[in-house]
Amino acid sequence: MCSSVSPKQLCGPGLTDMQQYHQWLSSRHEASLLPMKEDLALWLSNILGLEITAESFMDRLDNGFLLCQLAETLQEKFRQSNGDLHEPGNSKKKIPHRRIPCRQSAPSGSFFARDNTANFLAWCREVGVGETCLFESEGLVLHKQPREVCLCLLELGRIASRYNVEPPGLIKLENEIEQEERAPLPPPSPVSPVQPLSSSPTSSPSPSPSPTPTLTPTPTKVTSSKKSAGKLLDDAVRHIADDPPCRCSNKFCVERQSQGRYRVGEKMLFIRMLHNKHVMVRVGGGWETFESYLLKHDPCRMLQISRVEGKISPISTKSPNIKDLAPDSYLVVAAHYRSKK
């Protein structure tokens, strides 16, 4: 409903057609990148004043020219706000002030496109983007590393937010979660675990942290907007968790703890709505769609490759009996290796 990826099909191609399986796997990876591409395309469009979409994301960037333009634009914004920059415990970082050499007419896939990209990456290092967040020039020019390109731009957005430059939407959500983590934890919700994500608003008091109420009408509007956004998120999470419906005796737990905080399985997760469209989960230092997360952690959705049956089937909740296994019953991962001579 609220995301471009919906786990409605629990089956995939089997090992009988490895080419079809790899295509299916790559399509899943591409679908998981769509929210990130849409968010970054909107951010780049606002900064550069150009129309960039998720569909044209890699095509518009692959000659490196727009990235060099982005670097020069951010460089100027950094210098303008450097006087007001205040980072607790950190000294001001020296902002590079130079023209970034680039060729606007560089054809896609050419040496000049690689040179443009290399100049952008060198500038990223100067402003503090770590090596683990960078990508190879070939990865952009030949569209080999779309995920790495997105992660690099997100890291650049994190740096931009420190200089009071409006960051991508995902970085705004990260900053919101960091502020919430510094605040004291709200009291646990008394909702019974048997009734996760209850649709009744009276089943539990609102456990979400809210500012001290005042007599002015402005905070009331903000609070009401937060409540409506919270309800939209709850409805989206419930829709994804119940699609397809689970008929197991022990259902995978998806329980609301407070606004934007959910217990999923054995973990407490921050879940946010990106642009009122994609339901995103904060995982480690990055983001993942809620559908993709459930595919990896919900036993009813997790997939296994069976060499015996030659197809992908839902994982059984019962442990297999060793006596029932044939000598050749192994999990196939389709690994490529070389034997030592």
Side-chain angles (χ1 to χ4, degrees):
M1 177 184 72
C2 298
S3 177
S4 56
V5 188
S6 181
K8 294 183 179 180
Q9 291 184 346
L10 288 180
C11 59
L15 290 177
T16 54
D17 189 347
M18 288 303 300
Q19 182 178 2
Q20 185 183 1
Y21 172 74
H22 287 307
Q23 291 175 353
W24 172 77
L25 194 62
S26 63
S27 66
R28 273 190 55 190
H29 289 318
E30 181 65 24
S32 66
L33 279 180
L34 182 61
M36 200 182 302
K37 284 185 176 180
E38 288 184 355
D39 186 34
L40 289 170
L42 181 62
W43 182 58
L44 293 175
S45 299
N46 292 334
I47 290 182
L48 299 177
L50 302 172
E51 184 178 356
I52 303 175
T53 63
E55 292 75 18
S56 63
F57 184 77
M58 293 296 288
D59 292 328
R60 294 297 300 272
L61 301 181
D62 63 4
N63 76 337
F65 173 71
L66 288 184
L67 291 181
C68 292
Q69 269 196 324
L70 173 67
E72 290 189 347
T73 303
L74 290 179
Q75 178 178 267
E76 184 60 29
K77 290 179 179 292
F78 292 173
R79 293 184 67 254
Q80 291 175 358
S81 63
N82 195 28
D84 300 329
L85 177 65
H86 180 264
E87 293 186 38
N90 293 332
S91 58
K92 296 178 182 178
K93 186 177 180 62
K94 185 178 180 181
I95 305 301
H97 179 52
R98 62 181 178 84
R99 181 183 176 278
I100 302 173
C102 62
R103 186 183 295 256
Q104 181 175 1
S105 59
S108 297
S110 66
F111 166 79
F112 298 108
R114 290 169 172 82
D115 191 47
N116 288 348
T117 306
N119 293 331
F120 167 76
L121 293 173
W123 179 84
C124 287
R125 292 185 180 94
E126 291 184 50
V127 296
V129 178
E131 292 292 331
T132 56
C133 298
L134 297 176
F135 56 89
E136 299 290 338
S137 299
E138 293 280 321
L140 173 67
V141 174
L142 301 181
H143 298 200
K144 289 182 176 181
Q145 295 178 310
R147 179 177 294 276
E148 285 74 10
V149 173
C150 291
L151 294 179
C152 178
L153 292 176
L154 279 179
E155 181 64 19
L156 195 55
R158 292 185 185 97
I159 296 175
S161 67
R162 302 170 196 161
Y163 291 90
N164 302 321
V165 179
E166 185 176 2
L170 284 174
I171 307 304
K172 293 180 182 178
L173 296 179
E174 288 181 9
N175 296 335
E176 175 187 310
I177 290 175
E178 289 178 0
Q179 293 179 359
E180 187 174 330
E181 286 179 325
R182 297 191 196 103
L185 290 175
S189 173
V191 178
S192 172
V194 182
Q195 298 176 347
L197 286 178
S198 173
S199 57
S200 174
T202 59
S203 60
S204 64
S206 175
S208 58
S210 59
T212 304
T214 59
L215 298 178
T216 57
T218 304
T220 305
K221 294 180 181 179
V222 173
T223 304
S224 61
S225 64
K226 284 185 177 181
K227 288 183 178 179
S228 61
K231 185 179 184 304
L232 178 64
L233 177 61
D234 290 341
D235 292 341
V237 170
R238 185 185 306 110
H239 172 79
I240 296 172
D242 294 340
D243 183 21
C246 178
R247 297 179 176 85
C248 301
S249 57
N250 296 324
K251 293 185 178 181
F252 190 68
C253 174
V254 179
E255 180 182 340
R256 183 185 190 273
Q257 300 296 307
S258 62
Q259 183 169 327
R261 193 192 301 250
Y262 297 80
R263 178 171 174 258
V264 182
E266 300 297 328
K267 297 183 178 181
M268 292 290 298
L269 299 176
F270 289 101
I271 301 181
R272 294 292 188 270
M273 184 81 79
L274 179 63
H275 303 309
N276 291 331
K277 185 177 181 181
H278 302 288
V279 181
M280 308 296 293
V281 181
R282 180 71 166 152
V283 181
W287 292 90
E288 188 174 10
T289 61
F290 187 44
E291 299 93 329
S292 178
Y293 183 88
L294 289 180
L295 280 175
K296 297 176 181 178
H297 296 85
D298 185 356
C300 291
R301 303 169 192 255
M302 291 169 60
L303 305 178
Q304 70 174 0
I305 304 173
S306 172
R307 181 176 178 181
V308 178
E309 297 179 356
K311 63 181 181 181
I312 295 180
S313 57
I315 291 180
S316 174
T317 56
K318 297 181 179 179
S319 300
N321 193 340
I322 299 179
K323 296 181 181 179
D324 298 333
L325 294 177
D328 199 27
S329 298
Y330 301 105
L331 177 66
V332 178
V333 191
H336 299 279
Y337 65 93
R338 291 182 179 180
S339 60
K340 294 182 180 181
K341 295 183 179 179

